[in-house]
Amino acid sequence: MTTSETADGTGVVPSRELGRLEQLPIRRIVLTILTIGLVVIVGGGILKTLTLSGAEHLGWAFWANLVVIGLALGAVYALIALGYTLVYGILRMINFAHGEVFMTGAFVSFFFAQAYAASGFLNRSPWLSIAILLVVSMAVSTGVALLLERICYRPLRNAPRLVPLITAIGASLFLQNTFQGFFGAEPRGYPRPDVLSGTISIGPVSFDKMDPVVFATALIGMFVLNRFVQRTKTGRAMRAVSEDREIASLMGIDVDRTVVVTFVLGGLLAGIAAVLYAMTFGQVSATMGFLPGIAAFTAAVLGGIGSIPGAALGGLVLGVSESVGPYLLLSGVHVPSPFELRAVITFSILVLVLIFRPGGILGTGEAEKV
Amino acid sequence: MNRAAFVRAVKGGLLGGVGVIYFALVGMIERLDTLSIVGSVELSWLLILGPPFIAAYVLARPRVEAGEMRSASASRALWSGGIVGLVSWGLVAIGVGLVQWIGIDTVRSVFRSVSPTLIQILTLHHPVWPGILYLAPIVVLGALAGGALPLLPRRVRRPIITASGVVLLLGLLQQLVPPALDQLHIQRNWLYSNVTLGLSWIGAIVAFAVTFAITWFLQDRSLRDLVAGGPGARDRPGAEARVRTVLLVGWLALGAVLLAMPYLVGPVVARDLGFVGIYLLLGLGLNIVVGYAGLLDLGYVAFFSVGAYTTAVLTGGQLNTYKGLAAPILGAHLNFFLAIPIVVLVAALIGVAIGAPVLRLRGDYLAIVTLGFGEIARVIFGSTWAKNLFGGSAGMTHITDAAIGGYSFRTELHFYYLALGFCALAAFVSWRLQGSRIGRAWNAMREDEQVAEAMGISTIRYKLLAFAMGGAVGSLGGALFAVSIGSLTIASFTIFVSITALAIIILGGMGSIPGVVVGALILIGLPGVLTPLQDYQLLIYGAVLIVIMILRPQGLVPNVRRSRELHEEEVQQDAWMRPVEEGEVPVARGIEA
C-alpha cells in the first residue's frame, strides 16, 4: 500500500481492488458458515435417528446403556485430563506427552497382570492383584512423568511457549517408539479377573461389570486429589504458583519442588487411569496413549483448562458424547458401526470448543490470546 | 582428584551405561550391526562407545565454577574419562550377567530385542565369560578419548572433529558414493572395501588426513578473503566483483551437480532423492507457516493430502472398489501441469478456511487445533461417505502420469527432475518472500504480535496469507507424491507426516532455507540409503525434536539474517537459548529498562 498523502489530506488511501477484498470479515463469514453447517448436520442427524421406525427404532434402554459406558469412559478421561490441567495450571504449558505417560503405566503393569493371570493369582485374589497392578502402574507413570519434567521441560522453563510444546511432541514420539522397540509393536491382551467379566443388568439396562469399578475408582481418585489441592500445604503452594510463579517464589515457595509435585500427581492419576482403561478395553500397545491423550486434553479444554472440577466435568461430558454421539448422529443415516468414529467426535469437539469457547465450560476465557 | 569430581565421574559413567543399555534394549545395536563403517567396525559400535564418550567429553569440558571458567586439568580429565568408561562397562556387564542368570528366553519374553546375537556383539563373539571382559578396554578407551578431546588446543580439535565427521559420513553413504565414483571412472577400490561395503582402513585414513589438512589450512581464514586474494584484500577495488564471480561459478557448479545427480548415483538413490524432494516441499511450506510467521501447525498433513487427492481427482485417478476400478463421481482428465494451478489454489483456499476460525488462538492452542484439523482431514479423505470421490480406505490408483509430450516423469531418473524443479520453485518463492514486505511483516508478527499490530501490520491478513502460502507449497508436495507412484492410500497421510516435516525444519533451523534442505537430506535421505535406520526413523525424529530444542534451538544451519544482524535486542531475546551455567546468576529477562 502506498504511504503518500492523499489529495484531501485525510491520509486515507482510496482502497484498491485487493484492499476491498481485504476488508471482508473473512473470520466472521467462515464462522457463520461453520455454525450453519454444524446445526444442519447435528440437527438433521439427531432428527433422523430419533424418528427411525420399526425394527430400527432405538429404545431408551439402548441409550441408557450408552450413557453408562460413556460415564465409565469419561471417568478415565477425567483422570488423565487432570494431569493436563494441573500441569497447565502451574506451567501454562501443554504436556503433549501425557498420553504416553498413561501408556507406559498400562504397558508395564501388563507384564505383571500377565504373570498373575498365568499363576492364577489374578482370580484367587482379584482385588489384591488389581491393587498391586495399580501401584505398579502408578509408580511407572510417575517415574516417566518425572523424567519428562527433568529432561525435557525444566531446561526450557523460560523459553518461548512453543519450545516446550515441540519437545513434548518429540518426547511423545520418542516414548511411543521406545516402547515399541523394547516390547514389540503388536497389541497385547490385558487379562481381567473372572469376577469382573460379564455384565450386570438392572432392569432392562445392562452394562459391563468393569464400568462401576472404573467409575468408583476414578471418583475416589479425583476426590483425594481435590482434598490434597484444597487442604494440604503443598496443595496451597500449587495454587499459589499457578496464580503467579514469581510472587509465589518471593513468598518462599520452592517452585521447582511444586512443579515436581504437580508432575507426580499427574503421573499417579494417569497410572490409575491406565490400569482401568487397559482392563476395560482388554489390550495394551505402544500407540494406545495417543487417542486417550487427545481425548483427555479435549476434556480438559472442554471443562476449562487449569480447573480441577472442570477437568472432571469435561471428562464425563466428553465420555458420554463419545459413546452416545456417533449413534445419535449417524444411526439415522445408516452408517455402519458408528462407534469407530468416536475419534471424529473428539476432534470436532476439540476444534469447536477452541473456536467458539476457548475458556471451556468452567474456564475464565483465558485461553484467548493475551 | 577430589571427591566431588569422582562422584560426577561415576554419575557420568552411570548415564553412559544407561545409554548403551537403552540402545541395546531398543534393538538398535543389533540392527545396526550389519552395517560396516570402516573395515570391520560396524555402526553399532558408535552406539556402544558413543554414550561413555559423550559423558566423558561433557565432564572434561571447561566449566563455570564460582563464576569463573575453569578448564579441567589433563590428569583430572583423563581420570574421570577412565572412571566413566569403567562404570559404563560395569553397568553393561551387570546387564549381560543378569540376562545370563535369568535366562535369555525369559528376558526375551519381555524385552524383545535381547537376543543371543546382541549378547555376542557385546562379548565380541566370545563366550560370555570372559568375553565381557574384552569389552572393558574398548569402552574405557572410548571414554578416555572423550575425556582427552577438550584438552587438545582448539586449532587441533576442530579439524579432528570435522575429519571424523567426514569419515563417518563417507562410511554412511556407502550406497551413494561408490556408484558415483564408478560412473566417473574413478578407481575406488582403495577407498571402499568390496567385502564389508564400508570404507577400507586405508581409505578412512586418507579421507581423514585430507579433510584434516584442508580444515587446518582453512581455519582462521575467511573464505571470502581467500577468494578476494589474500587477507585484507576484501576492501580493495574489484574484490567485490571477484567474489561475485566466484559465487556465480559456485552456484553454476552446484546446479550442474544437481542436474547430473541421478545419472551419477543410479536409479535407487535417485528415487530416494525424489522422495527427499517431496518432504523438502513439505518442509519449505511448513517453514513459511512456522519459521516465518511463527504459527505452529501440527496438521500440516492436511495440505499434503489435499494436494495429493486433488491431483488424483483432477488428472483422472481411478477408485479402488471391490468391483474393480471406477471413476470418481467428480473428476477430470487434465494434464498434470494444468492441474497444478488448480491444486495450489484449492490448497490456498483451504489454508484460509482452516486459518480463519482459529486466528485468535494463542500459539500452543493453535498447534492442537491444527492437529485436530489434520486428523479430521484424514478421516474425511478415508471415510466411507466420500468413497465415491476419494476411494475411502482402499484409496485411488492409476493416477495419470505427469508428462510433457512423450517425456514421462514416472521413472526414477525423470521423477528426480520433476521434484528438483518443484523444489527449486518453492525455494525461490520462499527466498524472495523472506526479504519482501510480506516476509518482514511475518517476522515482526512472530516476534511480537501486539507491536506488529501497533505498527500497522494487519495480523489477520498476514496470518491468513501465511496459511495460504504454506498450504500451497505443501500441496505441491502432495501432488508430487500422487504422481510419483500413481496410487494413494489413506495410510500415507497420518499425523507422522506433520511431525516429520516439523522435525525437518527444527533440525535445520526455523526460517532457514538451507536448513530445510539439510534437514530433509538428513532425516529423509539418510534413512533412505541406510536401510537399517528405517526402523528407527520415528524414534530418531522424536529425539531430534527434544535434543535440538534443548541444545541448539536455532538449528544446524541457522537463519543467516538472524545470526548476521544479531544486535542488542536479539541477543537479549535469544538469551534463553544459551544454557544457564551452573553457579551463574540468571539475568532477569525483560525487566531491564
Side-chain angles (χ1 to χ4, degrees):
Chain A
M1 263 166 276
T2 56
T3 49
S4 57
E5 282 293 306
T6 45
D8 55 355
T10 55
V12 179
V13 182
S15 59
R16 289 172 294 164
E17 213 43 45
L18 190 72
R20 207 169 288 144
L21 194 72
E22 224 169 86
Q23 281 157 13
L24 277 178
I26 299 180
R27 193 185 133 78
R28 190 163 307 157
I29 294 172
V30 173
L31 282 188
T32 314
I33 296 173
L34 203 65
T35 316
I36 295 172
L38 210 68
V39 169
V40 169
I41 291 174
V42 172
I46 293 178
L47 198 69
K48 282 197 105 171
T49 305
L50 292 184
T51 53
L52 283 177
S53 54
E56 288 178 321
H57 182 73
L58 300 165
W60 71 270
F62 174 80
W63 298 113
N65 194 5
L66 284 182
V67 170
V68 174
I69 294 173
L71 285 176
L73 187 66
V76 174
Y77 286 162
L79 282 178
I80 313 173
L82 285 169
Y84 282 105
T85 262
L86 287 173
V87 170
Y88 189 89
I90 302 281
L91 288 178
R92 296 285 182 275
M93 142 198 169
I94 300 170
N95 180 10
F96 195 80
H98 195 61
E100 271 58 47
V101 170
F102 160 84
M103 176 276 288
T104 55
F107 218 121
V108 175
S109 74
F110 156 76
F111 291 106
F112 286 77
Q114 193 187 32
Y116 293 160
S119 68
F121 179 61
L122 190 67
N123 282 323
R124 265 202 314 279
S125 38
W127 301 112
L128 178 63
S129 50
I130 288 181
I132 298 176
L133 291 180
L134 281 173
V135 170
V136 168
S137 169
M138 283 154 81
V140 172
S141 289
T142 308
V144 172
L146 284 178
L147 278 179
L148 266 179
E149 195 272 331
R150 186 70 194 80
I151 297 173
C152 300
Y153 305 146
R154 198 181 294 177
L156 300 170
R157 188 123 358 121
N158 294 318
R161 284 190 116 104
L162 287 185
V163 172
L165 181 63
I166 293 173
T167 51
I169 295 165
S172 156
L173 203 60
F174 184 79
L175 282 171
Q176 239 179 59
N177 286 279
T178 296
F179 269 63
Q180 239 168 52
F182 279 4
F183 305 121
E186 72 284 354
R188 315 274 196 100
Y190 201 97
R192 194 198 277 200
D194 292 338
V195 192
L196 292 174
S197 309
T199 56
I200 312 175
S201 300
I202 299 178
V205 184
S206 70
F207 46 85
D208 197 318
K209 276 185 186 165
M210 219 28 225
D211 290 345
V213 178
V214 171
F215 196 69
T217 320
L219 275 192
I220 294 170
M222 283 185 270
F223 178 72
V224 171
L225 176 82
N226 204 32
R227 294 291 280 204
F228 180 84
V229 174
Q230 295 299 333
R231 296 292 165 87
T232 63
K233 207 170 169 183
T234 320
R236 205 177 318 145
M238 283 172 64
R239 281 181 287 140
V241 174
S242 88
E243 284 295 327
D244 191 320
R245 205 195 302 166
E246 247 168 70
I247 305 269
S249 80
L250 288 178
M251 294 294 153
I253 292 171
D254 185 345
V255 173
D256 269 347
R257 186 177 159 270
T258 313
V259 172
V260 165
V261 170
T262 310
F263 273 86
V264 168
L265 289 177
L268 290 174
L269 294 172
I272 300 176
V275 173
L276 300 178
Y277 187 88
M279 225 169 235
T280 308
F281 289 94
Q283 79 179 25
V284 290
S285 72
T287 48
M288 70 182 278
F290 179 69
L291 279 180
I294 294 280
F297 177 75
T298 308
V301 173
L302 183 62
I305 195 150
S307 140
I308 293 177
L313 181 67
L316 294 179
V317 172
L318 184 74
V320 174
S321 328
E322 268 197 7
S323 84
V324 176
Y327 289 96
L328 194 56
L329 297 183
L330 302 176
S331 299
V333 284
H334 303 286
V335 172
S337 60
F339 194 62
E340 287 170 6
L341 291 167
R342 68 194 169 110
V344 186
I345 300 270
T346 313
F347 283 115
S348 311
I349 290 180
L350 174 63
V351 169
L352 294 175
V353 170
L354 283 180
I355 291 174
F356 288 108
R357 196 180 159 78
I361 305 175
L362 302 180
T364 51
E366 197 215 341
E368 295 215 20
K369 219 183 64 214
V370 196
Chain B
M1 176 151 209
N2 58 20
R3 198 184 143 77
F6 179 76
V7 171
R8 262 205 303 276
V10 171
K11 272 189 192 164
L14 288 177
L15 283 180
V18 167
V20 178
I21 292 178
Y22 173 82
F23 286 133
L25 288 185
V26 88
M28 281 175 105
I29 290 186
E30 187 183 342
R31 192 76 183 82
L32 298 187
D33 196 55
T34 49
L35 202 85
S36 297
I37 296 296
V38 179
S40 57
V41 177
E42 294 93 1
L43 193 56
S44 50
W45 284 99
L46 199 69
L47 302 180
I48 301 175
L49 298 180
F53 176 90
I54 292 172
Y57 173 75
V58 171
L59 282 175
R61 258 188 339 181
R63 41 188 288 122
V64 177
E65 259 171 38
E68 277 176 56
M69 278 292 259
R70 296 248 302 262
S71 330
S73 67
S75 68
R76 194 169 117 185
L78 291 178
W79 266 113
S80 69
I83 294 171
V84 167
L86 270 182
V87 173
S88 297
W89 169 79
L91 212 57
V92 175
I94 291 174
V96 173
L98 272 178
V99 170
Q100 288 297 313
W101 183 57
I102 299 173
I104 199 158
D105 292 326
T106 319
V107 177
R108 210 174 179 183
S109 67
V110 177
F111 290 102
R112 287 300 166 80
S113 307
V114 178
S115 63
T117 325
L118 175 71
I119 302 292
Q120 278 196 343
I121 295 166
L122 291 175
T123 54
L124 304 158
H125 300 274
H126 286 278
V128 174
W129 183 261
I132 192 70
L133 287 184
Y134 302 154
L135 185 70
I138 302 179
V139 175
V140 171
L141 272 180
L144 278 178
L149 195 60
L151 299 177
L152 298 173
R154 196 183 147 90
R155 284 188 62 80
V156 185
R157 192 170 70 226
R158 305 198 86 181
I160 286 187
I161 294 175
T162 316
S164 315
V166 167
V167 170
L168 180 66
L169 193 66
L170 281 176
L172 290 178
L173 296 181
Q174 51 187 268
Q175 285 188 31
L176 196 147
V177 179
L181 292 178
D182 285 343
Q183 282 292 323
L184 294 171
H185 300 288
I186 296 174
Q187 180 59 249
R188 54 123 176 143
N189 286 341
W190 58 274
L191 186 61
Y192 282 93
S193 151
N194 279 330
V195 185
T196 64
L197 301 177
L199 288 172
S200 68
W201 279 108
I202 299 173
I205 291 169
V206 171
F208 188 91
V210 170
T211 328
F212 187 89
I214 294 177
T215 339
W216 178 275
F217 174 71
L218 280 183
Q219 65 183 339
D220 306 333
R221 289 185 178 85
S222 126
L223 264 180
R224 203 168 261 266
D225 278 348
L226 279 180
V227 170
R234 203 191 295 189
D235 302 328
R236 254 178 254 156
E240 202 49 43
R242 212 166 139 184
V243 170
R244 214 173 289 148
T245 321
V246 173
L247 272 180
L248 185 69
V249 172
W251 278 109
L252 286 178
L254 181 69
V257 170
L258 282 178
L259 283 178
M261 196 59 128
Y263 292 97
L264 284 178
V265 295
V268 179
V269 179
R271 167 101 203 95
D272 184 42
L273 285 174
F275 204 63
V276 171
I278 293 174
Y279 270 93
L280 185 51
L281 284 170
L282 289 182
L284 286 170
L286 189 62
N287 188 40
I288 293 178
V289 188
V290 181
Y292 291 176
L295 306 163
L296 185 55
D297 184 350
L298 291 183
Y300 199 61
V301 63
F303 298 113
F304 187 55
S305 44
V306 165
Y309 276 100
T310 322
T311 310
V313 168
L314 286 177
T315 61
Q318 301 288 302
L319 306 175
N320 271 325
T321 65
Y322 62 94
K323 280 179 264 175
L325 295 178
I329 46 169
L330 200 103
H333 281 84
L334 290 178
N335 180 295
F336 176 72
F337 294 95
L338 289 177
I340 281 294
I342 306 177
V343 171
V344 167
L345 195 69
V346 169
L349 284 178
I350 287 181
V352 172
I354 286 184
V358 297
L359 280 180
R360 284 191 308 162
L361 292 176
R362 216 194 33 229
D364 39 6
Y365 277 80
L366 184 78
I368 301 286
V369 173
T370 46
L371 180 121
F373 279 136
E375 289 292 298
I376 290 175
R378 187 173 63 91
V379 170
I380 291 176
F381 283 116
S383 69
T384 332
W385 314 309
K387 79 164 184 262
N388 291 330
L389 190 54
F390 302 122
S393 54
M396 299 181 78
T397 183
H398 292 265
I399 296 162
T400 314
D401 194 2
I404 303 176
Y407 190 84
S408 150
F409 284 105
R410 183 133 305 161
T411 67
E412 288 92 352
L413 297 183
H414 293 178
F415 181 70
Y416 169 86
Y417 290 111
L418 186 65
L420 185 65
F422 273 42
C423 288
L425 179 73
F428 181 75
V429 170
S430 301
W431 177 59
R432 294 298 298 164
L433 273 176
Q434 200 168 25
S436 71
R437 188 189 181 86
I438 299 173
R440 283 176 285 131
W442 281 335
N443 252 322
M445 202 171 74
R446 186 190 63 209
E447 299 303 348
D448 193 322
E449 214 178 307
Q450 266 121 36
V451 175
E453 190 124 24
M455 300 310 281
I457 292 168
S458 156
T459 50
I460 294 219
R461 177 184 168 200
Y462 282 103
K463 277 186 180 178
L464 288 180
L465 199 59
F467 271 109
M469 301 286 288
V473 175
S475 72
L476 286 183
L480 214 53
F481 181 76
V483 292
S484 69
I485 37 176
S487 59
L488 296 174
T489 58
I490 197 64
S492 319
F493 300 98
T494 61
I495 182 189
F496 297 118
V497 175
S498 311
I499 295 185
T500 306
L502 183 67
I504 287 174
I505 63 170
I506 297 285
L507 179 67
M510 278 188 271
S512 148
I513 299 167
V516 180
V517 177
V518 170
L521 280 175
I522 294 179
L523 291 184
I524 309 295
L526 212 52
V529 292
L530 279 176
T531 9
L533 269 187
Q534 279 166 7
D535 302 345
Y536 297 99
Q537 244 167 316
L538 290 175
L539 182 74
I540 294 170
Y541 295 167
V544 160
L545 288 178
I546 302 173
V547 172
I548 292 284
M549 275 293 123
I550 292 177
L551 296 183
R552 201 181 156 85
Q554 71 274 38
L556 291 184
V557 193
N559 185 336
V560 185
R561 197 209 309 212
R562 278 195 100 176
S563 35
R564 198 193 288 159
E565 295 176 359
L566 270 186
H567 39 68
E568 193 65 14
E569 292 114 34
E570 277 185 325
V571 171
Q572 229 173 50
Q573 182 191 308
D574 292 349
W576 62 270
M577 287 180 175
R578 192 173 53 89
V580 177
E581 300 278 353
E582 229 172 276
E584 183 192 6
V585 182
V587 186
R589 283 154 198 152
I591 306 177
E592 298 105 312

